[in-house]
Amino acid sequence: AMAGWGWARSVRGLLLDVSGVLYDSGADGGVPIAGSAEAVRRIKASGLKLQLCTNETQATREDFVRKLRALGFDVSVAEVTAPAPAACRLLRERGLRPHLLVHHDLLPEFAEIDKTSPNCVVLGDAAENFTYANLNEAFRLLIGMEKPVLISLGKGRYYKEIDGLKLDVGAYMKALEYACDVQAEVVGKPAKRFFESALAELGVPAEQAIMIGDDIVSDVGGAQQCGMRALQVRTGKYRPSDENHPEVKPDAYVNNLAEAVDIILQQL
C-alpha cells in the first residue's frame, strides 16, 4: 500500500468527510468507526491542519459537534464546513427569501434569514419531513415562479445509517428538477465553491490538502476537480462496485481513516 504515496509528503492539511468516515449515523446518535477518534487525535498531534467537510444537514453545526464530541471526537464548530451556513451567505448575497424544506433540527441555522413571501426553495436532508404534502408545497411554489430558484444542500443519492442505506437529498432534488424543469444550484459537496470554502477555512492550498471520504462522487470526485488528492475509505456507504467507477479514480483506497492516517504520517 506504500507504493506511490510520495505525493503525501507535501501535505499540510486534511479535509475529512464525517458520516461514513468518522461514524455511522443512526437514531441514537450513531456509532464511531473503529480507530477514527484516535486517528483525529493523531492528525492534530502531528501538526497537520484538519477541517471536517460535511454535507450534514439534519442538525445545526453546534448540535452536530456536540454529538461528535459525545462519540469521542475532539472537534470544534470552527472545524466544520457545512452547507447551511454557506447557503445563508448565498441567500443574503442574492436577496433571496427561502421556503425551507429541511430537517426540523436545522431550522435554527436559518433563524436570521428573511422568509416572508419566498422567492426560492431551499432543500436539505429533511428525512421524515419529505412527505408528499411537503414536496408538493415546494413544487407549487417553484412552478409558480417566473424564474424558479431551487437551492439544494447537497446532491447525495444515499447515505449509510446503522440500520442500512437511506435516500438522500439528491433524490428529492431530482424530483423537483424534473417536475419544474429547473436546474438546482447545489451548496455542499461536490460543488467547487463549497470545497474552496473548506480549503479557505483549513488555510491550506488544494495541492497541499487531501480529502478523505466514503462517497466516490461527492467526496473523491468533487475534491479532485478542485485540484486536491482524494482517498476513498472502505467504510460507510462504500461498495465494492465503487472501485470500477467509470469517471472517478481515487488517488488511493484505504480500509478506514485510521489506515489513511497511518500511511500519511509515515510519509511526513
Side-chain angles (χ1 to χ4, degrees), residues 99 118 121 132-146 148 176 179-180:
H99 168 78
V121 167
Y132 177 78
N134 287 349
L135 278 162
N136 202 52
E137 185 183 8
F139 157 72
R140 283 181 168 173
L141 273 165
L142 283 170
I143 203 87
M145 290 174 192
E146 201 175 323
L176 290 173
C180 303

Side-chain angles (χ1 to χ4, degrees), residues 61 80-96 109-110 113 151 153 187-188 193-198 200-201:
R61 279 167 306 163
V80 177
T81 304
C88 288
R89 278 201 302 275
L90 182 143
L91 293 167
R92 284 200 187 91
E93 280 165 20
R94 288 170 45 189
L96 291 170
E109 291 272 18
F110 294 91
I113 298 285
I151 294 165
L153 306 180
V187 176
R193 187 174 163 181
F194 189 69
F195 275 112
E196 285 166 353
S197 297
E201 288 169 21

Side-chain angles (χ1 to χ4, degrees), residues 10-46:
S10 63
V11 70
R12 287 176 46 220
L14 301 180
L15 286 184
L16 304 185
D17 174 44
V18 179
S19 175
V21 174
L22 299 189
Y23 81 117
D24 283 318
S25 56
D28 312 327
V31 293
I33 290 167
S36 56
E38 179 60 23
V40 168
R41 275 196 290 281
R42 291 181 63 205
I43 292 165
K44 292 193 164 186
S46 75

Side-chain angles (χ1 to χ4, degrees), residues 17 19-21 55 155-159 189-190 195 211-225 228-254:
D17 174 44
S19 175
V21 174
N55 270 9
K155 65 177 219 184
R157 296 180 300 161
Y158 53 84
Y159 53 91
K189 300 174 295 189
F195 275 112
M211 174 76 199
I212 304 175
D214 70 327
D215 187 314
I216 185 90
V217 175
S218 283
D219 296 330
V220 176
Q224 287 175 336
Q225 283 175 340
M228 267 183 272
R229 303 279 182 167
L231 311 183
Q232 165 93 28
V233 289
R234 295 188 177 103
T235 55
K237 74 169 83 165
Y238 162 84
R239 306 169 87 182
S241 60
D242 293 343
E243 305 208 17
N244 307 315
H245 196 278
E247 278 104 51
V248 184
K249 301 277 172 258
D251 291 278
Y253 288 95
V254 286

